[in-house]
């Protein structure tokens, strides 16, 4: 009998075998059913999560696009507001410069008025009178001072308004820069997808950053900046209009006062000329006045020659200084002084020539009047001789002829010699 190599195991019965087969089949069916259930649930979950993910991504893409559009609208609004405020700053700066120029231009009329008042203080004796010219000059000084105060106030207000505009511009610029950065960031976020190379996990990405603001606060901030800029621009526009009006008003007031002052001055000059002419006519019968007039004419001619020489010197200095090289050819104080000297000398020469002509005319009038006096004296002497002859002839009526001594010839000869000598002396 052959020996077994392995000890035989437990023996099962046929029913056990069938039972085991049924159990295995049942377990397989159950596992397949469970697996099918899991697969169905997984497919449903995949579909649901894919849809949810896609919709979430779509919604966030839409939100990003809307946010970009909203921020871009505000950026465009700020762009326009910045352009407007830049234009308003330029316009106000120009008006401020115009007011400053107008203010500077008031210095010359003020200096002229004060100079006129100072010169008129040199009047002497009865001519020191408070005439309409002096009143108009004082009034002109007050008008100029008032205009300068008004213009200075407008300049100060324009400067303050420019500071406010610059501050509003700075706030708008800051808000504009922030929106540009936010637009750039949101556009980068909008362009990201699963294939982007720079995506990664971040540490606590859902945290709320420090300094975060609510949407209402964000929009209110931009709205406040815009409204403030618009308010400052409106105030600047009103200030510009008021400044332009003030410039025109002060110029009109000053021009009207200048016309009034010059009218009073011309009237005073005419009055003085009439008074002078009257005084000259009162002195025309005096031989001493003829001698003084001739001396004055000589002095006028001498002054005219000296002034002509001075003018030549000034002209020569000006012409010589035109050859200064390069940057040395500058309009320095000497240039202005020489130019003023030339103008002053030219005016002086014109005045001296005019006065010389007037003096010569007056001297001629004195000589004509003297000739009339001498001629009338001759007429009177001749009439007197004739009347004396008449008297001698009428003596014959009361005196005998042998006692009559003719005296008319002797009287006539003496009288004629005296007249001739007088005429020679007068000539």
């Amino acid at each position: 009998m052959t020996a077994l190599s392995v000890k035989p195991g437990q023996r099962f019965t046929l029913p056990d075998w069938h039972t085991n087969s049924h159990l295995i089949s049942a377990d397989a069916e159950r596992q397949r059913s469970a697996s099918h259930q899991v697969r169905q649930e997984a497919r449903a979950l995949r579909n649901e999560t894919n849809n949810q993910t896609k919709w979430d991504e779509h919604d966030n893409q839409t939100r990003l696009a809307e946010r970009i559009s909203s921020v871009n609208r505000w950026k465009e609004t700020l762009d326009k507001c910045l352009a407007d405020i830049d234009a308003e700053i330029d316009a106000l700066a120009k008006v401020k410069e115009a007011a400053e120029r107008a203010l500077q231009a008031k210095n010359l009329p003020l200096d002229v008025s004060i100079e006129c008042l100072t010169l008129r203080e040199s009047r002497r004796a009865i001519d020191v009178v408070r005439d309409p010219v002096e009143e108009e000059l004082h009034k002109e000084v007050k008008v100029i001072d008032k205009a300068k105060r008004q213009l200075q106030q407008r300049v100060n207000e324009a400067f303050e308004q420019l500071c406010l505009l610059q501050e509003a511009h700075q706030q708008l610029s800051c808000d504009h820069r922030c929106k540009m950065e936010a637009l750039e960031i949101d556009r980068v976020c909008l362009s990201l997808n699963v294939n982007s190379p720079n995506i990664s996990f971040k540490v606590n990405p859902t945290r709320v950053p420090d300094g975060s603001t609510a949407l209402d606060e964000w929009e209110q901030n931009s709205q406040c900046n815009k409204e403030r800029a618009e308010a400052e621009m409106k105030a600047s526009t009103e200030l510009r209009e008021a400044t332009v009006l003030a410039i025109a008003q002060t110029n009109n007031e000053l021009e009207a006062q200048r016309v009034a002052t010059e009218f009073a001055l011309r009237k005073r000059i005419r009055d003085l000329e009439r008074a002078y002419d009257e005084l000259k006519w009162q002195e025309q019968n005096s031989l001493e006045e003829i001698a003084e007039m001739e001396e004055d004419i000589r002095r006028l001619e001498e002054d005219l020659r000296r002034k002509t020489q001075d003018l030549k010197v000034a002209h020569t200095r000006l012409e010589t200084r035109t050859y200064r090289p390069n940057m040395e050819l500058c309009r320095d104080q000497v240039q202005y002084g020489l130019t003023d000297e030339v103008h002053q000398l030219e005016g002086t020469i014109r005045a001296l020539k005019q006065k010389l002509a007037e003096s010569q005319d007056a001297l001629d009038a004195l000589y004509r009047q003297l000739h009339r006096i001498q001629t009338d004296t001759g007429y009177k002497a001749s009439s007197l001789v004739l009347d004396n002859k008449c008297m001698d002839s009428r003596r014959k009526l009361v005196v005998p002829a042998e006692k009559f001594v003719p005296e008319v010839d002797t009287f006539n000869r003496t009288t004629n010699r005296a007249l001739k000598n007088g005429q020679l002396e007068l000539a």
Side-chain angles (χ1 to χ4, degrees):
M1 185 173 181
T2 305
L4 295 176
S5 60
V6 179
K7 185 178 180 179
Q10 182 182 1
R11 298 289 182 171
F12 293 97
T13 64
L14 186 60
D16 291 335
W17 178 81
H18 284 292
T19 301
N20 182 64
S21 296
H22 284 297
L23 288 175
I24 290 174
S25 296
D27 289 338
E29 289 289 340
R30 191 171 51 254
Q31 289 298 327
R32 286 195 301 270
S33 176
S35 175
H36 177 75
Q37 181 67 27
V38 170
R39 284 192 298 108
Q40 295 301 320
E41 292 176 356
R43 289 177 182 179
L45 180 60
R46 286 176 55 231
N47 290 333
E48 183 180 354
T49 54
N50 286 337
N51 291 334
Q52 184 65 41
T53 301
K54 288 180 180 179
W55 278 111
D56 288 344
E57 184 181 3
H58 178 269
D59 290 342
N60 284 322
Q61 287 281 101
T62 303
R63 292 188 184 99
L64 275 172
E66 291 176 352
R67 179 61 177 173
I68 289 172
S69 177
S70 177
V71 175
N72 191 59
R73 283 195 302 271
W74 268 111
K75 183 190 79 66
E76 292 175 353
T77 300
L78 294 179
D79 284 336
K80 182 180 182 303
C81 199
L82 280 171
D84 292 341
I85 201 170
D86 284 335
E88 184 60 34
I89 288 174
D90 292 338
L92 183 58
K94 291 179 181 178
V95 171
K96 176 177 173 290
E97 291 175 359
E100 289 173 345
R101 288 194 298 269
L103 179 62
Q104 183 68 24
K106 298 299 181 291
N107 291 333
L108 180 59
L110 181 61
D111 293 341
V112 170
S113 300
I114 294 176
E115 182 180 3
C116 291
L117 287 172
T118 304
L119 290 174
R120 288 173 63 82
E121 287 297 322
S122 300
R123 294 175 296 172
R124 293 176 296 177
I126 194 62
D127 276 357
V128 185
V129 58
R130 186 176 293 277
D131 54 3
V133 177
E134 183 173 350
E135 294 177 359
E136 294 295 336
L137 284 172
H138 282 293
K139 191 184 297 182
E140 188 174 57
V141 170
K142 292 180 180 179
V143 169
I144 296 174
D145 285 336
K146 178 183 176 182
K148 290 186 69 175
R149 287 195 301 271
Q150 291 178 350
L151 291 175
Q152 185 63 55
Q153 181 181 358
R154 295 302 180 185
V155 169
N156 295 337
E157 292 175 352
F159 176 76
E160 294 175 359
Q161 188 61 39
L162 279 174
C163 292
L164 295 176
L165 286 173
Q166 291 289 352
E167 184 178 351
H169 183 277
Q170 184 177 0
Q171 290 181 349
L172 286 176
S173 298
C174 180
D175 196 6
H176 184 269
R177 286 194 302 270
C178 292
K179 283 179 171 51
M180 290 291 292
E181 294 178 8
L183 278 174
E184 185 66 25
I185 291 173
D186 283 345
R187 284 169 180 161
V188 170
C189 292
L190 184 61
S191 66
L192 291 177
N193 55 52
V194 295
N195 296 320
S196 298
N198 54 344
I199 60 175
S200 64
F201 289 108
K202 308 299 180 183
V203 178
N204 193 16
T206 60
R207 71 187 183 280
V208 177
D210 294 336
S212 298
T213 58
L215 181 61
D216 293 341
E217 294 176 349
W218 169 82
E219 189 158 2
Q220 184 179 3
N221 177 68
S222 298
Q223 186 68 28
C224 288
N225 290 336
K226 175 177 174 293
E227 290 176 354
R228 181 187 178 184
E230 290 175 347
E232 296 300 342
M233 285 189 288
K234 181 180 179 182
S236 177
T237 301
E238 294 175 353
L239 179 59
R240 281 194 296 111
E241 294 173 353
T243 302
V244 171
L245 181 61
I247 293 174
Q249 182 178 358
T250 55
N251 288 340
N252 292 336
E253 290 178 355
L254 185 57
E255 179 66 18
Q257 183 58 47
R258 184 190 66 82
V259 171
T261 302
E262 291 183 358
F263 177 80
L265 187 58
R266 285 193 294 268
K267 183 177 182 301
R268 181 60 178 168
I269 289 173
R270 289 193 297 269
D271 293 342
L272 289 173
E273 287 176 347
R274 286 194 293 269
Y276 176 78
D277 292 340
E278 180 67 19
L279 290 175
K280 294 297 294 181
W281 283 109
Q282 292 296 331
E283 298 175 359
Q284 65 183 356
N285 293 323
S286 175
L287 291 174
E288 290 79 8
E289 179 61 20
I290 292 177
E292 291 178 3
M293 181 60 72
E294 289 175 344
E295 179 64 17
D296 287 343
I297 289 175
R298 186 189 64 79
R299 292 175 180 175
L300 282 173
E301 292 173 345
E302 182 65 23
D303 286 346
L304 187 59
R305 285 192 295 271
R306 285 199 300 267
K307 297 300 183 295
T308 303
Q309 293 299 113
D310 292 338
L311 183 60
K312 291 179 180 179
V313 172
H315 279 194
T316 304
R317 286 174 175 174
L318 281 173
E319 179 64 24
T320 304
R321 284 174 61 82
T322 60
Y323 295 99
R324 291 176 294 167
N326 300 328
M327 294 301 295
E328 294 300 318
L329 190 61
C330 66
R331 295 187 298 273
D332 51 8
Q333 294 299 321
V334 177
Q335 186 78 11
Y336 290 123
L338 288 173
T339 302
D340 293 340
E341 183 182 3
V342 167
H343 293 162
Q344 182 66 32
L345 286 172
E346 290 174 348
T348 301
I349 288 173
R350 287 194 300 270
L352 288 174
K353 287 181 178 179
Q354 181 180 358
K355 190 56 66 178
L356 179 60
E358 293 176 358
S359 300
Q360 290 174 344
D361 292 340
L363 183 61
D364 292 340
L366 287 173
Y367 274 112
R368 287 193 300 270
Q369 185 65 25
L370 179 61
H371 181 264
R372 289 180 60 188
I373 293 173
Q374 291 176 342
T375 302
D376 191 69
T377 301
Y379 293 155
K380 296 296 187 291
S382 178
S383 298
L384 182 60
V385 169
L386 294 173
D387 289 342
N388 284 330
K389 285 184 178 181
C390 291
M391 288 296 295
D392 289 341
S393 297
R394 292 187 64 81
R395 285 178 66 188
K396 296 176 182 178
L397 301 174
V398 293
V399 178
E402 62 272 16
K403 294 183 178 180
F404 181 75
V405 177
E407 299 178 353
V408 176
D409 292 339
T410 303
F411 175 77
N412 287 340
R413 286 194 296 271
T414 304
T415 304
N416 289 338
R417 284 197 299 271
L419 288 173
K420 290 180 180 178
N421 292 334
Q423 290 177 355
L424 291 174
E425 290 176 359
L426 291 176

